[in-house]
């Protein structure tokens, strides 16, 4: 095989000039976010207090192409875009599958995941709009480190609320954020009303992404010159991630291949949307028969066991309600290693696409997922993030199905990040101490609570 059959690398001048916005092509308008107090559609003014004006414009825009600011394109190039797309030839051989497996490399930038794609754009818009400080939350620390990096490059202050369990157990991500100049607090923290409330219940509360969101929002609205930034779920975030899929489309053309399956892991849905939506566009326009497979943890089965309905975006019930697949804003997420996949809900656009059958989802437990990651490391040489291992597992399952049916299909998955700061997950897997979790369905119903609005 020639070298060009193994890897496609684009030049800096082939970096996309626009973001692709799926709202232009969705089969229906998205139900609006609702105010948690009035249960009426959220007023734009209330959201302006939190988000950058340009991000809010993009949040509801149905404009297909949104120009990428030149300075953001420059930052992308500085941090390694366009990213390579590779063929997992040795993995295919090991599986003995006639399928071809390709993967897009979002693991190669200094933050180690796809998240800088939106962090850089958001930091840029905030700087342009005069924001002095940003607040945000982070679970395992990938979003926090991506935004810290972006805040450093665009000269904005940043305060990060990091779930206490990660803050204590994963010091390296915290150090990375601090190296980039961010201020990091364990959440729940004594700095906010929400944080103090949870600390009163339990002074060593492990925290959750939902609580950290409540704290970051409270810090934002109680301080002038401060805005808030979110790393997944929202439309503008998914739109920024579309650089992944646009590049991948060009690269698959270079390989002279059309993916039959697009695969990714879903926490809030942004990395998979980034890869998938530029291809989904063709499917929504009746020009493609590609299938879309989203992989989530069995421990947080939002789309496979949850419900598609309005639910609070945060645990403290201070953020808007969003119509989405959810296991419930009160869900106590088990301590799985894939920290980025522990959010209770999924992006509204992706939830709609799953609900309407344009995309399907699968769920795996962490032992089988880490086994897939180890096979990938031993065949392709890359130690992937525990989150990304869900995508690898799903791709392997599809490749094995092709083997049984003797079909030479083409599979493309998103390698959303590297696992070099998650070696504890691999250590536990190798030591056979990893625990698989599957919630009792009654817990999901309880965590959702009664629906505050008719759906
Ligand atoms: C955050 C994260 C995810 C999950 O978030 P999405 O918004 O669903 O993409 C997946 N993989 C990695 C490596 C992450 O850091």
């Amino acid at each position: 095989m020639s070298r060009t059959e193994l890897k496609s690398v684009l030049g800096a001048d082939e970096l996309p000039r626009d973001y692709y916005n799926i709202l232009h092509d969705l089969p229906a308008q998205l139900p609006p976010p609702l105010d948690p107090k009035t249960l009426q559609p959220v007023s734009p003014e209330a959201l302006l207090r939190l988000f950058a004006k340009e991000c809010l414009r993009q949040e509801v825009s149905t404009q297909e192409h949104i120009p990428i600011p030149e300075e953001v394109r420059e930052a992308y190039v500085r941090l390694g875009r366009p990213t390579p797309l590779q063929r997992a030839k040795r993995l295919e051989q090991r599986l003995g599958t006639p399928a071809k497996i390709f993967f897009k490399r979002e693991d190669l930038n200094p933050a180690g995941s796809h998240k800088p794609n939106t962090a850089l754009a958001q930091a840029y818009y905030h700087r342009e709009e005069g924001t002095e400080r940003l607040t945000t939350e982070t679970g395992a620390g990938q979003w926090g480190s991506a935004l810290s990096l972006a805040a450093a490059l665009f000269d904005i202050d940043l305060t990060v609320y990091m779930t206490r369990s990660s803050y204590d157990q994963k010091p390296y991500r915290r150090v990375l954020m601090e190296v980039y100049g961010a201020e990091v607090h364990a959440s729940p923290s004594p700095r906010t009303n929400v944080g103090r409330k949870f600390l009163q219940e339990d002074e060593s509360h492990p925290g959750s992404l939902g609580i950290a969101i409540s704290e970051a929002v409270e810090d934002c609205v109680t301080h002038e010159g401060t805005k808030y930034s979110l790393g997944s779920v929202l439309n503008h975030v998914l739109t920024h991630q579309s650089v992944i899929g646009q590049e991948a489309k060009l690269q698959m053309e270079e390989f002279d291949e059309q993916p039959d399956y697009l695969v990714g892991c879903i926490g809030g849905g942004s990395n998979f949307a980034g890869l998938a939506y530029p291809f989904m566009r063709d499917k929504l326009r009746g020009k493609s028969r590609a299938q879309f497979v989203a992989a989530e943890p069995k421990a947080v089965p939002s789309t496979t066991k949850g419900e598609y309905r309005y639910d609070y975006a945060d645990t403290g019930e201070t953020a808007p309600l969003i119509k989405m697949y959810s296991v419930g804003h009160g869900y106590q997420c088990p301590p799985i290693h894939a920290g980025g996949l522990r959010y209770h809900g999924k992006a509204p656009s992706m939830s709609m696409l799953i609900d309407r059958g344009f995309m399907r989802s699968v769920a795996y437990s962490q032992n089988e997922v880490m086994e897939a990651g180890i096979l990938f490391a031993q065949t392709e040489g890359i130690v992937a993030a525990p989150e990304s291992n869900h995508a690898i597992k799903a791709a392997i399952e599809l490749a094995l199905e092709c083997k049984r049916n003797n079909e030479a299909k083409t599979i493309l998955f998103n390698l959303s990040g590297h696992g070099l700061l998650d070696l504890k997950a691999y250590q536990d897997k190798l030591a056979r101490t990893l625990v698989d979790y599957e919630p009792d369905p009654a817990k999901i119903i309880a965590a959702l609570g009664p629906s505050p609005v008719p759906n």
Side-chain angles (χ1 to χ4, degrees):
M1 107 181 310
S2 74
R3 271 167 300 166
T4 53
E5 281 171 50
L6 207 54
K7 181 160 158 180
S8 159
V9 181
L10 302 174
D13 52 344
E14 289 171 286
L15 185 74
R17 297 196 172 272
D18 302 299
Y19 295 121
Y20 165 64
N21 175 14
I22 191 86
L23 296 196
H24 180 266
D25 291 289
L26 277 186
Q29 213 180 345
L30 285 177
L34 303 180
D35 185 291
K37 289 207 185 77
T38 64
L39 301 181
Q40 294 303 307
V42 179
S43 74
E45 294 76 46
L47 291 176
L48 266 178
R49 185 57 197 86
L50 292 179
F51 296 102
K53 211 181 281 175
E54 176 59 20
C55 291
L56 279 181
R57 192 189 70 77
Q58 294 177 11
E59 192 60 21
V60 292
S61 167
T62 52
Q63 190 185 337
E64 179 180 3
H65 301 292
I66 294 170
I68 306 176
E70 209 36 58
E71 255 186 90
V72 177
R73 294 184 77 233
E74 196 179 300
Y76 284 158
V77 172
R78 177 172 290 119
L79 299 185
R81 298 214 78 86
T83 63
L85 189 143
Q86 280 174 227
R87 181 162 170 197
K89 191 80 188 168
R90 276 177 48 85
L91 176 63
E92 292 167 16
Q93 282 162 355
R94 182 70 68 89
L95 297 172
T97 177
K100 293 177 186 165
I101 306 175
F102 294 87
F103 59 104
K104 179 70 167 159
R105 298 204 61 178
E106 293 301 309
D107 58 315
L108 293 171
N109 67 72
S113 79
H114 64 286
K115 290 191 169 80
N117 294 332
T118 184
L120 291 165
Q122 292 190 45
Y124 168 82
Y125 295 131
H126 276 292
R127 194 207 58 201
E128 288 299 285
E129 294 175 19
T131 303
E132 288 157 19
R133 183 175 70 109
L134 283 172
T135 67
T136 198
E137 69 289 330
T138 197
Q142 288 106 321
W143 169 241
S145 35
L147 192 61
S148 303
L149 163 60
L153 294 187
F154 287 101
D155 296 311
I156 297 181
D157 291 341
L158 173 65
T159 306
V160 182
Y161 291 87
M162 182 176 195
T163 55
R164 183 176 307 275
S165 55
S166 302
Y167 185 91
D168 292 337
Q169 287 160 25
K170 301 191 169 176
Y172 292 130
R173 287 268 174 207
R174 190 210 322 165
V175 174
L176 186 57
M177 291 184 255
E178 288 170 348
V179 168
Y180 286 129
E183 196 183 292
V184 187
H185 301 284
S187 165
S189 80
R191 294 167 50 92
T192 64
N193 287 328
V194 185
R196 284 187 290 271
K197 181 180 143 252
F198 284 102
L199 282 178
Q200 237 162 31
E201 287 168 16
D202 174 2
E203 67 181 38
S204 56
H205 198 297
S208 72
L209 209 49
I211 296 172
I213 294 176
S214 304
E215 287 205 273
V217 168
E218 184 182 325
D219 179 343
C220 166
V221 298
T222 51
H223 293 92
E224 291 257 315
T226 302
K227 295 257 170 134
Y228 167 74
S229 174
L230 199 62
S232 187
V233 180
L234 296 177
N235 297 323
H236 67 267
V237 176
L238 273 56
T239 297
H240 300 156
Q241 294 294 350
S242 68
V243 289
I244 302 173
Q246 294 184 70
E247 289 174 12
K249 257 186 140 175
L250 279 180
Q251 290 168 309
M252 291 306 284
E253 277 164 27
E254 228 173 61
F255 277 113
D256 213 4
E257 295 282 348
Q258 294 268 1
D260 298 299
Y261 294 104
L262 288 118
V263 179
C265 63
I266 51 169
S270 74
N271 88 85
F272 186 40
L275 176 74
Y277 283 2
F279 294 90
M280 180 61 83
R281 167 182 175 271
D282 299 341
K283 185 170 174 114
L284 292 170
R285 293 179 186 184
K287 290 185 195 149
S288 156
R289 299 166 60 94
Q291 295 186 42
F292 297 79
V293 181
E296 66 185 11
K298 274 194 174 162
V300 194
S302 313
T303 67
T304 49
K305 296 270 172 69
E307 283 180 32
Y308 180 50
R309 57 170 252 188
Y310 270 108
D311 191 21
Y312 294 93
D314 70 332
T315 309
E317 302 185 356
T318 54
L321 291 107
I322 301 176
K323 184 155 184 188
M324 60 182 174
Y325 269 104
S326 175
V327 282
H329 65 287
Y331 185 67
Q332 282 275 351
C333 189
I336 53 168
H337 281 287
L341 307 187
R342 295 180 68 200
Y343 186 61
H344 62 272
K346 299 290 167 273
S349 60
M350 189 170 281
S351 294
M352 177 184 272
L353 290 168
I354 292 174
D355 183 58
R356 296 191 177 219
F358 288 97
M359 189 181 269
R360 64 188 158 94
S361 56
V362 290
Y364 299 112
S365 54
Q366 62 177 350
N367 270 293
E368 54 186 347
V369 156
M370 293 307 294
E371 274 157 33
I374 289 172
L375 178 62
F376 188 68
Q378 293 181 356
T379 49
E380 296 298 323
I382 299 164
V383 177
E387 292 87 354
S388 316
N389 288 342
H390 290 72
I392 294 173
K393 172 68 180 167
I396 289 174
E397 287 303 315
L398 289 168
L400 291 175
E401 187 182 300
C402 290
K403 181 179 176 176
R404 288 192 294 275
N405 301 339
N406 200 19
E407 285 176 320
K409 296 261 172 91
T410 300
I411 301 164
L412 169 59
F413 74 85
N414 199 28
L415 184 68
S416 55
H418 72 61
L420 294 177
L421 290 174
D422 300 288
L423 288 179
K424 183 73 169 66
Y426 286 89
Q427 185 181 23
D428 289 353
K429 175 65 203 164
L430 295 173
R432 300 169 193 270
T433 57
L434 263 194
V435 181
D436 286 336
Y437 304 92
E438 249 181 275
D440 178 348
K443 277 204 174 145
I444 294 174
I445 293 166
L448 276 159
S451 185
V453 275
N455 284 288

